[in-house]
Amino acid sequence: MFEWMAWTLPVAVFFTCIVLMLVGMTVWEFKSPTTMRKGFLPLETTRGDRLFIGLLSAAYVNLIFVGISGKLAQWFSLGEDPSIWFSFVLSMLLLALIMRKG
């Protein structure tokens, strides 16, 4: 059923984090309803809006990294492509920034 997807450990951790964030956001919303606020994003957002924007940004960071990892290996004369864990950490930091300051 899931043979088409490359279910590696980083992919499983990434999707597990997304599920945990969605569950956490749902509980947080019930305990403390959100209000609109304006951060560095060019629009007023709720926590859910910032989570959605952050998750899209995280996905794009990971896709871009996968797309250029072969080139990075050539540019830096690496024996193999760089670990996907680098993009995972970068995408989670970007998500945290958007959630906090967006």
Side-chain angles (χ1 to χ4, degrees):
M1 178 174 171
F2 293 110
E3 300 85 34
W4 59 272
M5 180 119 180
W7 284 103
T8 62
L9 181 61
V11 171
V13 169
F14 183 76
F15 280 103
T16 301
C17 287
I18 290 173
V19 168
L20 291 174
M21 278 187 273
L22 291 174
V23 169
M25 287 291 289
T26 301
V27 171
W28 191 8
E29 185 65 28
F30 281 123
K31 295 232 181 239
S32 171
T34 189
T35 58
M36 300 289 279
R37 74 171 175 90
K38 178 123 172 62
F40 67 81
L41 295 172
L43 64 157
E44 286 189 4
T45 58
T46 64
R47 282 189 299 253
D49 296 334
R50 290 188 299 277
L51 178 64
F52 180 72
I53 292 167
L55 288 174
L56 282 176
S57 301
Y60 283 122
V61 166
N62 282 294
L63 286 172
I64 290 168
F65 185 83
V66 167
I68 67 168
S69 62
K71 291 290 184 189
L72 290 173
Q74 287 178 350
W75 294 338
F76 296 112
S77 302
L78 303 173
E80 58 186 36
D81 289 352
S83 173
I84 196 75
W85 288 109
F86 293 118
S87 70
F88 174 76
V89 170
L90 181 62
S91 66
M92 290 299 109
L93 290 173
L94 177 61
L95 175 62
L97 175 69
I98 290 172
M99 288 298 294
R100 182 76 178 141
K101 301 287 184 181

